[in-house]
Amino acid sequence: MFEVLIKINCPHCQSSKIVKNGKKKNGAQNLLCRSCRKQFQPVYKNKGADPAVKELILRLLERNSGIRDIEEVLQVSRNCILSNLCRHGNQLTIKPLLKHYKKVQIDELWSFVGKRKKGKYWLIYAYCPETDQILA
Ligand SMILES: [Zn+2]
């Protein structure tokens, strides 16, 4: 008879001080980190809730990946990507490849995200048509 021990670290702070913390509605085990007091699951049934997937969504958005491309590659819903963009969009840092650009277009667009009552979300961006890159 074998006993398999699986060591789980907190995905937020990498601490190993983890305790069980009940079950989620879908029956998944919920864990609590004693160091940062954040809850997480060892295996996420809902991919969009996984902190690693959330981080990957933000990295892909930084690299100018389209929302539909991210949806297809990571197999998460479009609403999941947009909600991550709304919550953590201010953490994104876009690094232009070149130091100087000859021509830059500045454009704007708006959209409703979530409920219409929350109002319009405006996006203003600088775009280089030669390199097909979003600069800021
Ligand atoms: Zn933690």
Side-chain angles (χ1 to χ4, degrees):
M1 184 136 166
F2 295 100
E3 187 173 293
V4 178
L5 290 174
I6 300 171
K7 187 117 180 151
I8 298 174
N9 287 346
C10 172
H12 305 285
C13 71
Q14 304 304 321
S15 171
S16 60
K17 294 179 185 172
I18 307 297
V19 292
K20 287 183 178 180
N21 192 33
K23 299 222 174 192
K24 291 286 185 185
K25 278 183 186 174
N26 61 10
Q29 180 66 54
N30 196 32
L31 302 172
L32 175 73
C33 173
R34 288 252 165 119
S35 299
C36 68
R37 309 295 299 165
K38 288 186 177 174
Q39 297 181 42
F40 63 96
Q41 298 170 36
V43 178
Y44 284 85
K45 290 182 181 176
N46 179 4
K47 273 185 166 185
D50 190 338
V53 173
K54 286 181 180 178
E55 184 65 26
L56 200 52
I57 288 170
L58 292 177
R59 297 290 79 83
L60 286 168
L61 287 169
E62 274 181 347
R63 299 285 307 151
N64 295 332
S65 297
I67 289 170
R68 289 183 182 89
D69 291 336
I70 297 170
E71 181 183 22
E72 186 67 31
V73 170
L74 297 181
Q75 295 293 306
V76 294
S77 75
R78 196 172 302 169
N79 285 339
C80 170
I81 297 163
L82 290 172
S83 66
N84 270 302
L85 182 59
C86 289
R87 275 192 214 124
H88 308 288
N90 55 355
Q91 298 170 8
L92 296 178
T93 52
I94 297 172
K95 294 173 192 160
L97 293 176
L98 305 173
K99 278 191 172 183
H100 303 284
Y101 289 87
K102 287 180 183 174
K103 231 185 214 180
V104 173
Q105 292 179 354
I106 296 177
D107 206 355
E108 63 191 20
L109 63 94
W110 66 265
S111 177
F112 294 111
V113 179
K115 295 179 179 174
R116 281 179 177 239
K117 285 180 185 175
K118 288 185 177 178
K120 295 175 184 176
Y121 281 85
W122 281 90
L123 177 67
I124 300 167
Y125 61 96
Y127 172 79
C128 179
E130 292 167 0
T131 58
D132 200 29
Q133 183 185 22
I134 293 175
L135 307 172

